[in-house]
Each structure stands twice: as C-alpha cells, then as structure tokens.
Amino acid sequence: MPLQTLYNEYINIKWKRSRTPAHTEPFEYGIYEDGSADLFLTDSSEETFTNWMSQLQPKDPYYGAKPNGKPVLTDVFNQLDMYDELTLYYLLFTINTTMSINTYNCYSDMNDFMKSYSFFQLSQLSEAIRLNDEQKQQLRDIFYFFYLYAHPVNEETLYACSFTENRLIYTQKAISLDRYFSAFHDHYCENRELYSEHIVITPHEIQVCKHLTLELLAVIEGRSPKLSMPSEKGLESVVALISDVDQMLEMYEGDRIALFNIMGDFLAEDGSNLYRDHCFTTLLQNYALYILYFNFDELHTLVDHFKVTPLWCEIIINKMFTDTIFMRWFMKRKDIDITTYPDVIQFFNEEASKMYL
C-alpha cells in the first residue's frame, strides 16, 4: 500500500471529507465515538499501530534510584544507556502517532496543526529545486524542530537528533534512527514469546509496523517521494500550490499578483468546510515560511495588494500571524520589530496585538 493512499485516508477522516474509504491493508482506520481515529492492524481488531508497543516503554531512569540495568538492545548498541533508550522510545512513539487523529488535543489545536503541517513540509523539501541547499537545510531544521515541539516532547528528545545528509542521527551516540528502529522491531519479532504478556500482535504484524514506521521516518528525512494533498472541486489552485512548493515559488517569482489572486479567489467564494480552511491555512503558512522567512519585507507587497479589500487583508494577516507560532518564532530569531511595519499592524486583530505588540 503506497503511503500516499494512507495519507489521503488520514486527511479524509481528519477533515471530515465524505469519501469512500480506500483499501489501506494491512492497516485500516477505526473511528471512535468522539470522532478521533487510529490505525488498526487489519488482522488484529484490538491493537493499533500506535499502541502495540505501549507495554514496552522503558522505565523512566530520571525517577527513583539510579538505574543499574541495561537497555534491551545493548547487544546491538553497546554504547547506549537507559537514558538513551527512553529518549529513542519517545522518538519512535512520536513518529508512530503521526497518522493518529485526535479530536481533543490536550495542548492545543495549534500544536496539532503544526505537527501535521511540519510532517507534510518535510516531505516537500527534497524535490524543491527553487530552494538552494542552505535554504533547504534551514527549513528542514525548522520543520523537524516543530514536528517534535508540537507533539510535544521533552527537551532531551527535542534536541536528541541531528541530520547527517538525509539521515537522522541520535547525536550523542552516533546511531541512525532507521537502524535503531529496525533493530527494535526485529528484537521483539524474534523474541515475541518472551514478551507475550506485553505484545498481542504476531511477529509478522510487528514487521508490518516496522515497515510503516520506517516509511514515516523516510518522509521526515526526505528520502521518499513527496506527499500531496487530495484535490477537491473549487480548490484545485490552492491544493496544487500546497502540494508543490516549487510551483508556488515559481509563481511568486514570475507573477506575485497571480498568487495573491488565488488567495483572493478563495476568500471571495461563499461557503467553507474544514478541509478548505485547512488548505488555505497551509497556503498562508507556506507563504510565511518559504517567502517571508527569507525576505520579511515581501510582506509589504502582500499588504499593498490587499489593502483595497481591508477585510481580506485582515483575514490573511491575522491567520498568518496567529494560526501558528512560526512567525513569532522566526521574527524573534531574526530580531524583526513588527512595530516598524505600521502598514501591517494596522490590520492586527485583538489576538495578534496581544501576541506581537
């Protein structure tokens, strides 16, 4: 099953698109009464991709007496200690929850969007030829950081890994995540009987889970074909741009007005639904991160275009500045003083003013 097929199903359920369920064997989504959903193994109606390993979580060595045990995979990675083992488990769990759908995020809807958005953007970068290598590296680091930060994870996990070419490396012990995750699954597959009280799925199903975990990791690392958003009638132009960053950058470089017209056309249409709103939010965050991050003064161009329709300008500005914390984060890093942009802040609503002024 191609990951794109599973991703389409994730999007359809998450944004309540009325579509016939796709064939996604060996997984299928199960929808709970509250509208949340999780990936179940097709042949195991009681276990999910996320939770199959929940009983294998290492004991937290930060609490209680100083640990004197050894990690489960110490024979394969003798440089690991129990602190490393817990951090690597957290990373694995974070990746495995990428395709889960929660109706209630105990942190915020913003966090939920930023994790999902960052995962999708990580899939785009390797094929974005209009970005130079330095720009790709900067954006990759930003998206990976927020993918973890928005989950959220603890500080040790947040800073545990770094990219070496197209591989995530557990920095402290120089172990690639793909190698560790493969060994993790192989160990429990080969020793399934020893852990029968904690694992309810079969060795074959453990290997199925390993395959999906490594596919998701490959997306994050930029080693797989980019994902795309499913199209929808009346939304074709927006979906095309968010599914192809190069197309958006090419359009902006050649004819900024064309991009702004697509934004305006969206706002001019009557009616709205969750998926349409999600796609428009994604387009605006792409404008912020792929264009404004590298040249914040381009914001003047957008305001100059939309100031003749002040309501549209207000919607666009406030969504860019308040739907996520991406703008606030990189403005702080770049020492951008928004008060020097009076043409922009005149469109701030109360929420944006509280956040930035």
Side-chain angles (χ1 to χ4, degrees):
M1 173 206 61
L3 185 59
Q4 180 67 60
T5 302
L6 188 61
Y7 186 76
N8 287 349
E9 193 71 359
Y10 162 79
I11 291 294
N12 291 342
I13 295 171
K14 185 177 182 67
W15 301 115
K16 303 187 186 308
R17 304 178 76 227
S18 299
R19 299 293 187 275
T20 302
H23 294 289
T24 56
E25 292 85 354
F27 296 98
E28 62 182 351
Y29 272 103
I31 303 176
Y32 302 107
E33 290 184 0
D34 65 355
S36 60
D38 218 335
L39 274 178
F40 286 80
L41 287 148
T42 305
D43 297 328
S44 180
S45 60
E46 297 181 357
E47 195 56 280
T48 67
F49 172 60
T50 301
N51 290 329
W52 80 266
M53 60 178 201
S54 60
Q55 298 300 311
L56 304 176
Q57 179 173 341
K59 291 183 178 180
D60 193 334
Y62 292 96
Y63 292 94
K66 186 176 181 180
N68 55 11
K70 293 182 178 181
V72 171
L73 298 181
T74 191
D75 289 342
V76 183
F77 306 102
N78 58 18
Q79 69 269 51
L80 290 179
D81 60 31
M82 296 182 72
Y83 298 94
D84 301 319
E85 183 181 44
L86 183 62
T87 297
L88 287 161
Y89 178 90
Y90 287 155
L91 285 165
L92 176 56
F93 179 79
T94 300
I95 291 171
N96 284 0
T97 57
T98 300
M99 306 293 277
S100 297
I101 298 167
N102 301 305
T103 55
Y104 174 70
N105 185 310
C106 61
Y107 294 94
S108 73
D109 290 338
M110 182 188 293
N111 278 37
D112 185 68
F113 173 82
M114 289 195 299
K115 181 181 179 183
S116 178
Y117 173 87
S118 296
F119 175 76
F120 185 75
Q121 298 310 316
L122 284 164
S123 83
Q124 304 290 309
L125 290 175
S126 63
E127 297 185 28
I129 61 175
R130 289 187 171 271
L131 296 169
N132 61 42
D133 289 344
E134 182 180 357
Q135 289 173 321
K136 287 182 184 180
Q137 183 175 340
Q138 289 180 45
L139 289 170
R140 181 182 63 179
D141 290 344
I142 291 170
F143 295 139
Y144 178 66
F145 174 87
F146 277 102
Y147 171 77
L148 295 179
Y149 178 86
H151 174 75
V153 298
N154 60 25
E155 187 172 357
E156 289 80 7
T157 308
L158 185 60
Y159 297 106
C161 295
S162 57
F163 283 96
T164 299
E165 295 181 347
N166 282 345
R167 301 283 177 179
L168 273 168
I169 306 298
Y170 181 62
T171 311
Q172 193 173 26
K173 301 299 171 65
I175 298 171
S176 67
L177 290 192
D178 61 337
R179 182 167 170 247
Y180 181 84
F181 292 161
S182 291
F184 177 94
H185 288 81
D186 291 346
H187 171 80
Y188 288 109
C189 181
E190 294 164 6
N191 298 280
R192 164 69 174 74
E193 295 304 316
L194 296 177
Y195 300 95
S196 58
E197 294 183 2
H198 304 299
I199 304 175
V200 301
I201 62 176
T202 67
H204 170 71
E205 289 171 327
I206 295 174
Q207 290 298 313
V208 167
C209 289
K210 178 179 84 168
H211 181 73
L212 180 54
T213 293
L214 294 179
E215 276 196 288
L216 294 171
L217 177 62
V219 170
I220 294 167
E221 294 178 324
R223 295 186 289 105
S224 64
K226 68 179 180 180
L227 297 171
S228 61
M229 289 287 181
S231 190
E232 183 166 310
K233 185 177 180 181
L235 202 59
E236 294 88 351
S237 296
V238 173
V239 170
L241 292 180
I242 63 178
S243 295
D244 188 345
V245 169
D246 267 346
Q247 184 177 338
M248 185 192 76
L249 293 174
E250 181 180 9
M251 179 179 291
Y252 194 75
E253 291 168 10
D255 184 4
R256 287 161 170 73
I257 302 303
L259 176 58
F260 297 153
N261 283 342
I262 289 174
M263 296 178 183
D265 290 344
F266 176 90
L267 293 172
E269 293 181 8
D270 293 329
S272 181
N273 61 49
L274 291 173
Y275 183 59
R276 282 174 53 83
D277 292 344
H278 171 72
C279 288
F280 189 59
T281 298
T282 299
L283 178 62
L284 295 183
Q285 295 305 315
N286 281 5
Y287 179 80
L289 284 159
Y290 289 97
I291 295 172
L292 298 184
Y293 177 75
F294 297 109
N295 187 357
F296 196 76
D297 284 345
E298 284 295 313
L299 193 52
H300 292 303
T301 308
L302 181 141
V303 172
D304 286 343
H305 177 83
F306 282 104
K307 65 185 179 183
V308 295
T309 50
L311 179 59
W312 291 1
C313 195
E314 181 178 338
I315 292 171
I316 290 169
I317 290 296
N318 288 292
K319 284 186 67 63
M320 275 200 301
F321 278 84
T322 66
D323 279 354
T324 73
I325 62 170
F326 292 135
M327 292 275 278
R328 185 167 63 174
W329 178 83
F330 78 67
M331 286 170 62
K332 183 177 180 180
R333 284 175 63 92
K334 291 174 174 286
D335 284 329
I336 296 172
D337 182 1
I338 195 60
T339 63
T340 64
Y341 293 78
D343 56 330
V344 175
I345 62 176
Q346 67 175 315
F347 292 102
F348 274 8
N349 61 16
E350 183 178 356
E351 183 181 1
S353 297
K354 287 181 178 179
M355 288 177 66
Y356 292 91
L357 300 180

